[in-house]
Amino acid sequence: MTIVHLEPEEFAEMITSGSPCTGVHCIVLDCVIAALVYTCQKGEYLYYMDRICVSSQKEEEAARIDPECLHAEVYRKMALDMGAGRYGQRLCCC
């Protein structure tokens, strides 16, 4: 499986253009913030929205993270989880 990040507009276009397998994946950032990442699976590709969702209590703290560092960390953790086979349990095919 190949992992690909998409900007929010690209992700929204993808999930509205058909009936892909969509889901949510939880990662824990290095700064100990739990973040939700929206995913979409089409064939052998797992796409994810290159934005995180955090609890309202952690929004300020998450906003202080450098965007480039956050992008790299999210990609790394998504790729690590994919390699560990942790996606089958979190995808919801409708």
Side-chain angles (χ1 to χ4, degrees):
M1 187 177 297
T2 302
I3 187 166
V4 179
H5 83 276
L6 298 175
E7 294 298 320
E9 299 82 14
E10 297 170 313
F11 189 81
E13 184 179 319
M14 174 170 283
I15 63 172
T16 58
S17 68
S19 57
C21 192
T22 58
V24 168
H25 186 69
C26 183
I27 60 173
V28 178
L29 302 174
D30 292 343
C31 60
V32 194
I33 295 176
L36 296 177
V37 179
Y38 291 95
T39 62
C40 172
Q41 184 175 350
K42 280 192 173 183
E44 291 299 312
Y45 291 89
L46 179 70
Y47 299 93
Y48 73 92
M49 185 167 63
D50 192 21
R51 297 292 186 274
I52 60 170
C53 298
V54 299
S55 70
S56 57
Q57 294 88 359
K58 295 291 186 173
E59 284 177 347
E60 270 187 45
E61 193 175 338
R64 289 191 294 253
I65 302 171
D66 177 77
E68 292 300 315
C69 292
L70 180 61
H71 168 80
E73 182 178 350
V74 170
Y75 184 85
R76 179 175 45 88
K77 291 190 177 204
M78 293 292 288
L80 287 171
D81 280 357
M82 182 187 70
R86 295 185 182 135
Y87 280 103
Q89 301 159 5
R90 291 179 174 86
L91 291 174
C92 173
C93 295
C94 302

